[in-house]
Protein backbone atom coordinates (compact mmCIF):
# COMPACT_ATOMS: atom_id res chain seq x y z
CA UNK A 1 0.00 0.00 0.00
CA UNK A 2 1.19 3.51 -0.81
CA UNK A 3 1.07 5.37 2.49
CA UNK A 4 0.81 8.67 0.64
CA UNK A 5 -2.45 7.75 -1.00
CA UNK A 6 -4.98 9.33 1.34
CA UNK A 7 -7.86 7.55 -0.35
CA UNK A 8 -6.23 4.17 0.20
CA UNK A 9 -5.62 5.07 3.84
CA UNK A 10 -9.28 6.02 4.26
CA UNK A 11 -10.42 2.74 2.71
CA UNK A 12 -8.14 0.92 5.14
CA UNK A 13 -9.61 2.87 8.04
CA UNK A 14 -13.13 2.00 6.92
CA UNK A 15 -12.18 -1.67 6.42
CA UNK A 16 -10.77 -1.81 9.93
CA UNK A 17 -14.09 -0.66 11.37
CA UNK A 18 -16.03 -3.14 9.27
CA UNK A 19 -13.73 -5.93 10.42
CA UNK A 20 -14.20 -4.87 14.04
CA UNK A 21 -17.98 -4.77 13.66
CA UNK A 22 -18.76 -7.91 11.71
CA UNK A 23 -15.45 -9.68 11.01
CA UNK A 24 -15.59 -8.60 7.35
CA UNK A 25 -18.12 -8.01 4.64
CA UNK A 26 -18.74 -6.20 1.39
CA UNK A 27 -18.99 -2.41 1.26
CA UNK A 28 -20.69 -0.84 -1.74
CA UNK A 29 -20.77 2.85 -2.50
CA UNK A 30 -21.79 4.46 -5.77
CA UNK A 31 -21.07 7.98 -6.93
CA UNK A 32 -23.82 10.48 -7.78
CA UNK A 33 -25.91 10.05 -10.93
CA UNK A 34 -25.83 12.57 -13.75
CA UNK A 35 -28.88 14.79 -13.83
CA UNK A 36 -30.56 15.92 -17.05
CA UNK A 37 -31.49 19.61 -17.17
CA UNK A 38 -33.30 19.43 -20.48
CA UNK A 39 -32.83 17.53 -23.73
CA UNK A 40 -29.07 16.93 -24.32
CA UNK A 41 -28.11 19.28 -21.54
CA UNK A 42 -27.08 18.05 -18.08
CA UNK A 43 -26.67 19.96 -14.83
CA UNK A 44 -22.96 20.43 -14.09
CA UNK A 45 -21.77 17.11 -12.72
CA UNK A 46 -20.80 16.86 -9.05
CA UNK A 47 -19.49 13.57 -7.65
CA UNK A 48 -20.90 12.03 -4.48
CA UNK A 49 -18.90 13.27 -1.48
CA UNK A 50 -18.64 9.88 0.31
CA UNK A 51 -17.53 8.13 -2.86
CA UNK A 52 -14.96 10.83 -3.60
CA UNK A 53 -13.70 10.69 -0.01
CA UNK A 54 -12.77 7.03 -0.54
CA UNK A 55 -11.50 7.14 -4.12
CA UNK A 56 -10.55 10.66 -5.24
CA UNK A 57 -12.37 9.77 -8.47
CA UNK A 58 -14.61 12.41 -10.02
CA UNK A 59 -16.15 10.67 -13.05
CA UNK A 60 -19.83 9.77 -13.09
CA UNK A 61 -21.04 6.18 -13.49
CA UNK A 62 -18.68 4.66 -10.93
CA UNK A 63 -19.10 2.35 -7.93
CA UNK A 64 -16.61 1.30 -5.29
CA UNK A 65 -16.86 -2.21 -3.86
CA UNK A 66 -14.63 -3.15 -0.94
CA UNK A 67 -14.19 -6.76 0.07
CA UNK A 68 -13.03 -7.22 3.65
CA UNK A 69 -12.17 -10.77 4.63
CA UNK A 70 -11.09 -11.53 8.13
CA UNK A 71 -9.34 -14.38 9.81
CA UNK A 72 -9.03 -14.18 13.56
CA UNK A 73 -7.19 -10.92 14.23
CA UNK A 74 -6.26 -10.09 10.66
CA UNK A 75 -8.14 -9.05 7.61
CA UNK A 76 -7.45 -8.33 3.99
CA UNK A 77 -9.01 -5.56 1.96
CA UNK A 78 -9.44 -5.70 -1.77
CA UNK A 79 -11.04 -2.74 -3.48
CA UNK A 80 -12.77 -2.87 -6.83
CA UNK A 81 -13.62 0.23 -8.82
CA UNK A 82 -16.31 -0.11 -11.45
CA UNK A 83 -16.00 2.75 -13.93
CA UNK A 84 -17.07 3.75 -17.41
CA UNK A 85 -15.15 1.86 -20.09
CA UNK A 86 -13.05 3.71 -22.64
CA UNK A 87 -15.21 4.73 -25.60
CA UNK A 88 -13.69 6.90 -28.31
CA UNK A 89 -17.03 8.01 -29.68
CA UNK A 90 -18.34 9.11 -26.26
CA UNK A 91 -15.01 10.68 -25.35
CA UNK A 92 -15.15 12.84 -28.50
CA UNK A 93 -18.52 14.18 -27.36
CA UNK A 94 -18.27 14.19 -23.56
CA UNK A 95 -14.59 14.12 -22.69
CA UNK A 96 -11.88 11.88 -21.28
CA UNK A 97 -12.64 8.67 -19.42
CA UNK A 98 -9.97 7.06 -17.26
CA UNK A 99 -11.23 3.55 -18.00
CA UNK A 100 -10.67 0.35 -16.00
CA UNK A 101 -7.28 -0.46 -17.59
CA UNK A 102 -5.61 2.72 -16.31
CA UNK A 103 -7.61 3.10 -13.08
CA UNK A 104 -5.64 0.79 -10.71
CA UNK A 105 -2.35 2.61 -11.23
CA UNK A 106 -3.86 6.09 -11.46
CA UNK A 107 -5.96 5.70 -8.31
CA UNK A 108 -3.98 3.19 -6.26
CA UNK A 109 -6.84 0.72 -6.25
CA UNK A 110 -6.40 -3.07 -6.46
CA UNK A 111 -8.89 -3.86 -9.23
CA UNK A 112 -10.94 -1.96 -11.77
CA UNK A 113 -13.68 -3.19 -14.09
CA UNK A 114 -16.14 -1.76 -16.52
CA UNK A 115 -19.42 -0.59 -15.01
CA UNK A 116 -21.12 -3.09 -17.32
CA UNK A 117 -19.63 -5.89 -15.21
CA UNK A 118 -20.97 -4.58 -11.91
CA UNK A 119 -24.03 -6.82 -11.64
CA UNK A 120 -22.18 -9.99 -12.57
CA UNK A 121 -19.15 -9.36 -10.38
CA UNK A 122 -21.26 -8.32 -7.40
CA UNK A 123 -23.23 -11.52 -7.35
CA UNK A 124 -19.85 -13.33 -7.18
CA UNK A 125 -18.46 -11.03 -4.51
CA UNK A 126 -21.58 -11.27 -2.36
CA UNK A 127 -21.59 -15.07 -2.32
CA UNK A 128 -20.94 -16.45 1.17
CA UNK A 129 -20.58 -13.00 2.72
CA UNK A 130 -22.45 -12.34 5.95
CA UNK A 131 -22.62 -8.58 5.89
CA UNK A 132 -23.28 -5.86 3.34
CA UNK A 133 -22.42 -2.24 4.10
CA UNK A 134 -24.40 0.06 1.85
CA UNK A 135 -26.53 3.20 1.95
CA UNK A 136 -29.91 2.06 3.25
CA UNK A 137 -33.22 3.43 2.00
CA UNK A 138 -31.45 5.80 -0.36
CA UNK A 139 -33.62 5.62 -3.45
CA UNK A 140 -35.97 3.29 -5.29
CA UNK A 141 -33.28 2.73 -7.93
CA UNK A 142 -30.62 1.79 -5.33
CA UNK A 143 -33.09 -0.57 -3.62
CA UNK A 144 -33.94 -2.15 -6.97
CA UNK A 145 -30.25 -2.82 -7.70
CA UNK A 146 -29.66 -4.32 -4.27
CA UNK A 147 -32.70 -6.57 -4.69
CA UNK A 148 -31.33 -7.67 -8.06
CA UNK A 149 -27.90 -8.56 -6.64
CA UNK A 150 -29.50 -10.40 -3.72
CA UNK A 151 -31.76 -12.34 -6.07
CA UNK A 152 -28.74 -13.45 -8.09
CA UNK A 153 -26.94 -14.70 -4.96
CA UNK A 154 -30.06 -16.37 -3.56
CA UNK A 155 -30.43 -18.21 -6.86
CA UNK A 156 -27.13 -19.98 -6.10
CA UNK A 157 -28.48 -21.39 -2.81
CA UNK A 158 -28.80 -24.92 -4.10
CA UNK A 159 -25.12 -24.90 -5.05
CA UNK A 160 -24.42 -24.30 -1.37
CA UNK A 161 -23.94 -20.53 -1.56
CA UNK A 162 -25.13 -18.47 1.41
CA UNK A 163 -26.46 -14.99 0.69
CA UNK A 164 -25.64 -12.09 3.02
CA UNK A 165 -28.01 -11.79 5.96
CA UNK A 166 -26.91 -8.53 7.58
CA UNK A 167 -27.40 -5.08 6.12
CA UNK A 168 -25.50 -2.20 7.69
CA UNK A 169 -25.64 1.50 6.97
CA UNK A 170 -22.27 2.49 5.51
CA UNK A 171 -22.90 6.21 5.86
CA UNK A 172 -22.64 6.29 9.63
CA UNK A 173 -19.10 4.90 9.44
CA UNK A 174 -17.92 7.18 6.62
CA UNK A 175 -19.59 10.27 8.07
CA UNK A 176 -17.89 9.78 11.41
CA UNK A 177 -14.58 9.70 9.55
CA UNK A 178 -15.47 12.81 7.53
CA UNK A 179 -16.22 14.77 10.70
CA UNK A 180 -12.50 14.89 11.51
CA UNK A 181 -10.54 16.66 8.81
CA UNK A 182 -6.93 15.67 8.17
CA UNK A 183 -4.12 18.08 7.25
CA UNK A 184 -4.75 17.58 3.53
CA UNK A 185 -8.41 18.54 3.91
CA UNK A 186 -7.72 21.52 6.16
CA UNK A 187 -5.20 22.83 3.66
CA UNK A 188 -7.83 22.77 0.88
CA UNK A 189 -10.45 24.31 3.16
CA UNK A 190 -8.07 27.14 4.08
CA UNK A 191 -7.51 27.88 0.41
CA UNK A 192 -11.25 27.69 -0.36
CA UNK A 193 -11.98 30.15 2.47
CA UNK A 194 -9.25 32.51 1.24
CA UNK A 195 -10.76 32.60 -2.23
CA UNK A 196 -14.25 33.21 -0.82
CA UNK A 197 -12.95 35.98 1.44
CA UNK A 198 -11.38 37.68 -1.58
CA UNK A 199 -14.69 37.37 -3.42
CA UNK A 200 -16.51 39.11 -0.55
CA UNK A 201 -13.92 41.91 -0.57
CA UNK A 202 -14.39 42.28 -4.31
CA UNK A 203 -18.17 42.48 -3.96
CA UNK A 204 -17.99 45.05 -1.15
CA UNK A 205 -15.62 47.18 -3.18
CA UNK A 206 -17.78 46.97 -6.28
CA UNK A 207 -21.02 47.82 -4.47
CA UNK A 208 -22.64 51.15 -5.38
CA UNK A 209 -26.23 52.30 -4.90
CA UNK A 210 -28.25 51.57 -8.01
CA UNK A 211 -26.54 48.27 -8.79
CA UNK A 212 -28.58 45.06 -8.84
CA UNK A 213 -28.05 42.01 -6.63
CA UNK A 214 -27.07 39.87 -9.62
CA UNK A 215 -24.23 42.26 -10.43
CA UNK A 216 -22.61 41.59 -7.06
CA UNK A 217 -23.19 37.89 -7.62
CA UNK A 218 -21.22 38.26 -10.85
CA UNK A 219 -18.33 39.79 -8.89
CA UNK A 220 -18.34 36.82 -6.52
CA UNK A 221 -18.42 34.29 -9.35
CA UNK A 222 -15.60 36.09 -11.14
CA UNK A 223 -13.33 35.79 -8.13
CA UNK A 224 -14.28 32.14 -7.50
CA UNK A 225 -13.58 30.95 -11.03
CA UNK A 226 -10.64 33.27 -11.64
CA UNK A 227 -9.01 31.76 -8.53
CA UNK A 228 -9.52 28.18 -9.73
CA UNK A 229 -12.52 27.20 -7.62
CA UNK A 230 -14.60 24.75 -9.62
CA UNK A 231 -17.99 25.88 -8.40
CA UNK A 232 -20.04 27.58 -5.74
CA UNK A 233 -20.48 25.47 -2.60
CA UNK A 234 -24.16 26.55 -2.56
CA UNK A 235 -26.26 29.10 -4.38
CA UNK A 236 -25.04 32.59 -3.47
CA UNK A 237 -27.29 34.81 -1.40
CA UNK A 238 -27.02 38.50 -2.32
CA UNK A 239 -29.88 40.18 -0.50
CA UNK A 240 -30.55 43.92 -0.55
CA UNK A 241 -32.80 45.72 1.96
CA UNK A 242 -35.85 43.69 2.99
CA UNK A 243 -34.48 40.61 1.21
CA UNK A 244 -31.80 40.34 3.90
CA UNK A 245 -34.53 39.08 6.24
CA UNK A 246 -35.29 36.09 3.97
CA UNK A 247 -32.96 33.33 5.15
CA UNK A 248 -32.83 31.31 1.94
CA UNK A 249 -33.04 34.22 -0.51
CA UNK A 250 -31.02 33.89 -3.72
CA UNK A 251 -29.26 36.68 -5.60
CA UNK A 252 -32.11 38.29 -7.53
CA UNK A 253 -32.63 41.47 -9.50
CA UNK A 254 -33.56 43.85 -6.68
CA UNK A 255 -31.86 47.23 -6.89
CA UNK A 256 -29.39 47.95 -4.08
CA UNK A 257 -30.46 51.23 -2.51
CA UNK A 258 -28.57 53.81 -0.49
CA UNK A 259 -29.50 53.61 3.19
CA UNK A 260 -30.14 49.84 3.02
CA UNK A 261 -27.96 46.88 3.94
CA UNK A 262 -26.73 44.16 1.63
CA UNK A 263 -26.24 40.66 3.04
CA UNK A 264 -24.00 38.32 1.06
CA UNK A 265 -23.76 34.64 2.02
CA UNK A 266 -21.50 33.01 -0.54
CA UNK A 267 -18.67 30.50 -0.69
CA UNK A 268 -16.81 28.58 -3.34
CA UNK A 269 -16.14 24.88 -3.61
CA UNK A 270 -12.48 24.08 -4.19
CA UNK A 271 -11.29 20.56 -4.99
CA UNK A 272 -14.43 19.10 -3.43
CA UNK A 273 -14.49 21.24 -0.25
CA UNK A 274 -16.88 24.00 0.72
CA UNK A 275 -16.40 27.40 2.25
CA UNK A 276 -19.27 29.42 3.71
CA UNK A 277 -18.96 33.13 4.51
CA UNK A 278 -21.53 35.81 5.25
CA UNK A 279 -20.91 39.52 5.48
CA UNK A 280 -23.43 42.33 5.79
CA UNK A 281 -22.54 45.87 4.75
CA UNK A 282 -24.22 49.19 3.98
CA UNK A 283 -24.92 49.72 0.28
CA UNK A 284 -23.68 53.32 0.46
CA UNK A 285 -20.60 52.40 2.51
CA UNK A 286 -21.76 53.89 5.85
CA UNK A 287 -23.88 52.11 8.49
CA UNK A 288 -26.82 54.11 9.87
CA UNK A 289 -27.17 54.34 13.67
CA UNK A 290 -29.73 51.51 14.03
CA UNK A 291 -27.87 49.36 11.48
CA UNK A 292 -24.61 49.85 13.32
CA UNK A 293 -26.19 49.09 16.69
CA UNK A 294 -27.54 45.75 15.50
CA UNK A 295 -24.34 45.00 13.58
CA UNK A 296 -22.20 45.46 16.66
CA UNK A 297 -24.51 43.23 18.71
CA UNK A 298 -24.26 40.50 16.07
CA UNK A 299 -20.48 40.79 15.94
CA UNK A 300 -20.25 40.65 19.75
CA UNK A 301 -22.43 37.52 19.63
CA UNK A 302 -20.09 35.99 17.07
CA UNK A 303 -17.07 36.82 19.23
CA UNK A 304 -18.75 35.19 22.22
CA UNK A 305 -19.44 32.07 20.13
CA UNK A 306 -15.87 32.02 18.79
CA UNK A 307 -14.44 32.07 22.30
CA UNK A 308 -16.58 29.02 23.16
CA UNK A 309 -15.53 27.12 20.01
CA UNK A 310 -12.81 25.03 21.55
CA UNK A 311 -12.07 21.39 22.29
CA UNK A 312 -13.93 20.01 25.27
CA UNK A 313 -16.94 22.30 24.86
CA UNK A 314 -20.13 20.92 23.38
CA UNK A 315 -21.43 21.84 19.92
CA UNK A 316 -24.20 23.82 21.66
CA UNK A 317 -22.01 26.05 23.82
CA UNK A 318 -21.05 28.53 21.07
CA UNK A 319 -24.75 28.79 20.17
CA UNK A 320 -25.74 29.41 23.77
CA UNK A 321 -23.05 32.09 24.12
CA UNK A 322 -24.27 33.83 20.95
CA UNK A 323 -27.90 33.65 22.09
CA UNK A 324 -27.10 35.36 25.35
CA UNK A 325 -25.39 38.32 23.66
CA UNK A 326 -28.04 38.64 20.96
CA UNK A 327 -30.89 38.51 23.46
CA UNK A 328 -29.26 41.07 25.77
CA UNK A 329 -28.77 43.29 22.70
CA UNK A 330 -32.43 42.91 21.70
CA UNK A 331 -33.43 43.96 25.22
CA UNK A 332 -31.02 46.93 25.15
CA UNK A 333 -32.47 48.10 21.82
CA UNK A 334 -36.01 47.54 23.15
CA UNK A 335 -36.86 45.10 20.38
CA UNK A 336 -37.63 42.74 23.25
CA UNK A 337 -39.37 44.37 26.18
CA UNK A 338 -37.83 43.86 29.60
CA UNK A 339 -41.11 45.04 31.12
CA UNK A 340 -42.85 42.01 29.54
CA UNK A 341 -40.10 39.43 29.90
CA UNK A 342 -38.78 40.35 33.32
CA UNK A 343 -35.18 39.24 32.84
CA UNK A 344 -32.56 38.08 30.35
CA UNK A 345 -32.99 34.53 31.67
CA UNK A 346 -36.73 34.63 30.95
CA UNK A 347 -36.11 36.06 27.50
CA UNK A 348 -33.74 33.17 26.79
CA UNK A 349 -35.91 30.50 28.34
CA UNK A 350 -39.11 31.62 26.65
CA UNK A 351 -37.39 31.67 23.24
CA UNK A 352 -38.63 35.23 22.69
CA UNK A 353 -35.47 35.94 20.66
CA UNK A 354 -36.64 33.45 18.00
CA UNK A 355 -38.73 36.14 16.38
CA UNK A 356 -35.43 37.83 15.39
CA UNK A 357 -32.97 34.92 15.41
CA UNK A 358 -34.48 31.68 14.19
CA UNK A 359 -31.51 29.54 13.13
CA UNK A 360 -28.61 27.81 14.85
CA UNK A 361 -25.21 29.43 15.15
CA UNK A 362 -23.15 26.59 13.67
CA UNK A 363 -23.08 23.58 11.40
CA UNK A 364 -20.35 21.19 10.33
CA UNK A 365 -18.46 22.29 7.23
CA UNK A 366 -16.50 20.04 4.89
CA UNK A 367 -17.09 18.44 1.52
CA UNK A 368 -20.72 19.47 1.89
CA UNK A 369 -21.62 22.94 3.09
CA UNK A 370 -23.92 21.47 5.73
CA UNK A 371 -21.50 18.66 6.28
CA UNK A 372 -22.32 15.18 7.45
CA UNK A 373 -22.24 13.43 10.81
CA UNK A 374 -24.40 13.53 13.86
CA UNK A 375 -24.49 16.52 16.19
CA UNK A 376 -24.88 14.06 19.05
CA UNK A 377 -22.19 11.88 20.60
CA UNK A 378 -22.04 8.49 18.84
CA UNK A 379 -22.41 6.49 22.02
CA UNK A 380 -24.54 3.45 22.67
CA UNK A 381 -27.14 4.81 25.01
CA UNK A 382 -30.60 3.73 25.97
CA UNK A 383 -31.44 7.32 26.87
CA UNK A 384 -33.71 8.85 24.25
CA UNK A 385 -31.42 11.86 23.85
CA UNK A 386 -27.71 11.40 23.35
CA UNK A 387 -25.56 14.29 24.62
CA UNK A 388 -24.47 17.02 22.25
CA UNK A 389 -21.21 16.36 20.46
CA UNK A 390 -18.03 17.43 22.22
CA UNK A 391 -15.90 19.63 19.96
CA UNK A 392 -12.52 18.13 19.10
CA UNK A 393 -9.45 19.13 17.14
CA UNK A 394 -9.97 18.58 13.39
CA UNK A 395 -13.68 19.39 13.34
CA UNK A 396 -14.69 22.37 11.20
CA UNK A 397 -17.73 24.49 12.02
CA UNK A 398 -19.28 27.73 10.87
CA UNK A 399 -20.06 30.47 13.39
CA UNK A 400 -22.92 32.54 12.04
CA UNK A 401 -25.18 34.52 14.37
CA UNK A 402 -27.70 36.91 12.87
CA UNK A 403 -30.59 39.27 13.54
CA UNK A 404 -33.54 39.70 11.20
CA UNK A 405 -36.05 42.49 11.88
CA UNK A 406 -39.21 42.35 9.81
CA UNK A 407 -41.64 45.28 9.77
CA UNK A 408 -44.28 45.03 12.49
CA UNK A 409 -46.57 47.41 14.38
CA UNK A 410 -44.70 46.89 17.66
CA UNK A 411 -41.21 47.44 16.21
CA UNK A 412 -39.57 50.86 15.92
CA UNK A 413 -39.59 51.68 12.20
CA UNK A 414 -35.90 52.60 12.32
CA UNK A 415 -35.12 48.85 12.58
CA UNK A 416 -37.43 47.61 9.83
CA UNK A 417 -35.88 45.38 7.17
CA UNK A 418 -32.50 45.19 8.85
CA UNK A 419 -31.19 41.67 8.30
CA UNK A 420 -27.66 40.95 9.51
CA UNK A 421 -25.62 37.75 9.55
CA UNK A 422 -21.90 37.40 10.13
CA UNK A 423 -20.45 34.01 9.27
CA UNK A 424 -16.93 32.63 9.50
CA UNK A 425 -15.40 29.20 9.16
CA UNK A 426 -13.54 27.79 12.15
CA UNK A 427 -11.18 24.83 12.42
CA UNK A 428 -11.16 23.47 15.95
CA UNK A 429 -7.56 22.95 17.06
CA UNK A 430 -5.85 21.88 20.30
CA UNK A 431 -6.31 25.20 22.06
CA UNK A 432 -9.37 26.83 20.51
CA UNK A 433 -10.18 27.51 16.91
CA UNK A 434 -8.60 29.02 13.83
CA UNK A 435 -10.81 31.30 11.74
CA UNK A 436 -9.88 30.56 8.14
CA UNK A 437 -12.23 33.07 6.50
CA UNK A 438 -11.06 36.34 7.98
CA UNK A 439 -9.43 37.52 4.74
CA UNK A 440 -12.51 39.76 4.53
CA UNK A 441 -12.97 42.44 7.20
CA UNK A 442 -15.66 41.91 9.78
CA UNK A 443 -15.55 45.00 12.03
CA UNK A 444 -17.95 47.74 10.98
CA UNK A 445 -15.21 50.39 10.85
CA UNK A 446 -13.00 48.15 8.72
CA UNK A 447 -15.83 47.43 6.30
CA UNK A 448 -16.55 51.15 5.98
CA UNK A 449 -12.85 51.88 5.39
CA UNK A 450 -12.65 49.16 2.72
CA UNK A 451 -15.69 50.52 0.89
CA UNK A 452 -14.51 54.12 1.17
CA UNK A 453 -11.16 53.33 -0.40
CA UNK A 454 -12.64 51.23 -3.22
N1 LIG B 1 -24.98 29.21 3.35
C1 LIG B 1 -25.70 28.30 4.09
C2 LIG B 1 -25.48 28.47 5.53
O1 LIG B 1 -24.95 29.46 5.93
O2 LIG B 1 -25.77 27.63 6.31
MN1 LIG C 1 -23.46 28.36 7.08
MN1 LIG D 1 -23.67 30.66 4.77
Amino acid sequence: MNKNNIYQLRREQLAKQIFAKTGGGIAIIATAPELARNRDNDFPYRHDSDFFYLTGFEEPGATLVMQIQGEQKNYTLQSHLFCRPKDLEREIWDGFRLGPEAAPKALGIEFAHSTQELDQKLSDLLADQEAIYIRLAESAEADRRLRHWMKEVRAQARSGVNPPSEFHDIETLIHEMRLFKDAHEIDIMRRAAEISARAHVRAMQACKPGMREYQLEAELLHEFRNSGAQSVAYNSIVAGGANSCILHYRAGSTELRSGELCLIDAGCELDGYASDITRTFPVNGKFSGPQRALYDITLAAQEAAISMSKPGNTFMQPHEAALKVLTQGLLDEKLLKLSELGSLENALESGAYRRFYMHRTSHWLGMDVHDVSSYREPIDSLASEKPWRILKSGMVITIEPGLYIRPAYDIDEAFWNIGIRIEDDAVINDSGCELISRGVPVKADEIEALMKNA
Side-chain angles (χ1 to χ4, degrees):
M1 186 179 66
N2 173 4
K3 294 277 176 213
N4 295 323
N5 186 323
I6 49 167
Y7 307 105
Q8 222 168 352
L9 287 171
R10 289 172 187 162
R11 290 195 298 273
E12 281 292 339
Q13 213 182 325
L14 178 61
K16 199 166 151 190
Q17 294 181 68
I18 289 174
F19 178 61
K21 233 169 127 76
T22 52
I26 296 284
I28 306 169
I29 189 130
T31 195
E34 291 175 284
L35 208 56
R37 186 163 184 261
N38 50 43
R39 297 186 181 268
D40 284 346
N41 181 17
D42 286 344
F43 281 105
Y45 183 69
R46 168 57 158 76
H47 53 259
D48 174 78
S49 297
D50 290 337
F51 174 85
F52 181 75
Y53 185 75
L54 295 172
T55 61
F57 191 51
E58 291 174 291
E59 283 185 29
T63 301
L64 171 70
V65 179
M66 290 168 46
Q67 183 179 30
I68 299 109
Q69 281 176 310
E71 272 170 36
Q72 291 171 3
K73 288 204 173 118
N74 293 316
Y75 67 88
T76 54
L77 162 66
Q78 294 196 314
S79 297
H80 299 255
L81 179 79
F82 293 83
C83 62
R84 299 177 307 178
K86 295 295 281 179
D87 180 333
L88 184 57
E89 178 69 11
R90 286 315 329 152
E91 291 185 57
I92 287 170
W93 286 91
D94 301 329
F96 176 77
R97 294 178 173 196
L98 183 61
E101 292 77 17
K105 188 148 183 275
L107 301 172
I109 209 153
E110 284 82 26
F111 304 102
H113 323 270
S114 162
T115 301
Q116 289 148 1
E117 294 176 52
L118 179 63
D119 288 350
Q120 173 57 48
K121 280 256 176 335
L122 255 186
S123 50
D124 295 345
L125 286 168
L126 289 174
D128 291 325
Q129 296 285 337
E130 281 286 301
I132 298 186
Y133 288 77
I134 197 164
R135 286 196 181 107
L136 297 175
E138 182 196 9
S139 68
E141 171 57 16
D143 287 352
R144 188 195 62 73
R145 301 204 78 169
L146 180 57
R147 275 206 307 277
H148 174 76
W149 298 328
M150 288 299 293
K151 192 169 147 225
E152 293 293 307
V153 192
R154 286 175 186 135
Q156 302 170 51
R158 264 169 294 159
S159 330
V161 168
N162 270 330
S165 58
E166 289 180 29
F167 295 84
H168 297 266
D169 179 27
I170 196 172
E171 283 194 344
T172 324
L173 299 177
I174 303 175
H175 292 180
E176 193 60 24
M177 290 167 65
R178 281 178 55 191
L179 180 58
F180 296 91
K181 277 73 179 172
D182 59 30
H184 164 87
E185 296 181 285
I186 289 173
D187 175 57
I188 301 173
M189 292 187 74
R190 267 200 200 101
R191 286 188 283 121
E194 280 163 17
I195 293 170
S196 296
R198 283 206 301 277
H200 278 262
V201 167
R202 187 183 171 101
M204 277 182 200
Q205 289 182 317
C207 184
K208 297 275 172 302
M211 286 177 79
R212 304 267 168 182
E213 292 166 340
Y214 56 75
Q215 291 178 292
L216 292 191
E217 183 186 26
E219 299 292 336
L220 297 163
L221 292 174
H222 174 92
E223 194 65 40
F224 292 166
R225 288 298 280 144
N226 198 41
S227 302
Q230 290 83 0
S231 161
V232 290
Y234 54 93
N235 296 317
S236 305
I237 296 172
V238 180
N243 297 336
S244 62
C245 295
I246 304 171
L247 297 179
H248 288 168
Y249 185 75
R250 293 271 301 275
S253 56
T254 301
E255 186 182 328
L256 300 166
R257 285 182 291 261
S258 182
E260 294 185 339
L261 291 175
C262 177
L263 181 155
I264 295 185
D265 183 346
C268 68
E269 178 175 299
L270 179 73
D271 298 344
Y273 287 82
S275 53
D276 184 7
I277 304 181
T278 308
R279 288 292 183 269
T280 310
F281 53 90
V283 169
N284 63 13
K286 183 97 187 107
F287 286 95
S288 72
Q291 289 169 350
R292 173 76 188 238
L294 296 193
Y295 189 90
D296 286 346
I297 292 166
T298 311
L299 185 57
Q302 199 207 29
E303 276 157 10
I306 291 166
S307 68
M308 295 305 272
S309 299
K310 56 184 182 192
N313 278 359
T314 68
F315 174 79
M316 279 303 272
Q317 279 177 276
H319 180 58
E320 285 159 1
L323 275 184
K324 209 165 165 181
V325 175
L326 290 173
T327 306
Q328 182 61 57
L330 289 165
L331 290 167
D332 293 344
E333 295 302 324
K334 308 206 167 25
L335 287 157
L336 290 177
K337 310 273 181 312
L338 197 58
S339 55
E340 290 168 15
L341 292 159
S343 65
L344 172 64
E345 287 64 37
N346 281 351
L348 286 164
E349 209 152 292
S350 65
Y353 58 83
R354 282 200 199 104
R355 180 174 176 196
F356 308 109
Y357 182 47
M358 54 299 276
H359 59 79
R360 294 269 161 134
T361 303
S362 301
H363 54 79
W364 307 133
L365 183 70
M367 290 183 150
D368 301 336
V369 62
H370 290 181
D371 208 31
V372 292
S373 197
S374 171
Y375 290 93
R376 301 277 181 174
E377 282 293 314
I379 51 168
D380 283 332
S381 154
L382 294 179
S384 56
E385 259 197 8
K386 292 179 180 176
W388 288 104
R389 182 78 77 158
I390 305 287
L391 296 176
K392 291 197 179 124
S393 184
M395 293 176 172
V396 183
I397 59 172
T398 63
I399 307 177
E400 48 176 311
L403 286 174
Y404 312 92
I405 320 295
R406 290 171 163 272
Y409 73 93
D410 58 341
I411 300 289
D412 181 346
E413 210 170 317
F415 291 111
W416 285 11
N417 297 320
I418 295 181
I420 294 167
R421 181 164 60 258
I422 303 171
E423 175 173 30
D424 281 288
D425 303 343
V427 180
I428 307 295
N429 56 29
D430 290 340
S431 56
C433 69
E434 173 195 346
L435 298 177
I436 57 175
S437 51
R438 280 290 174 89
V440 49
V442 71
K443 292 197 173 116
D445 289 342
E446 288 171 6
I447 289 175
E448 288 184 350
L450 179 79
M451 294 181 74
K452 194 169 172 193
N453 296 329

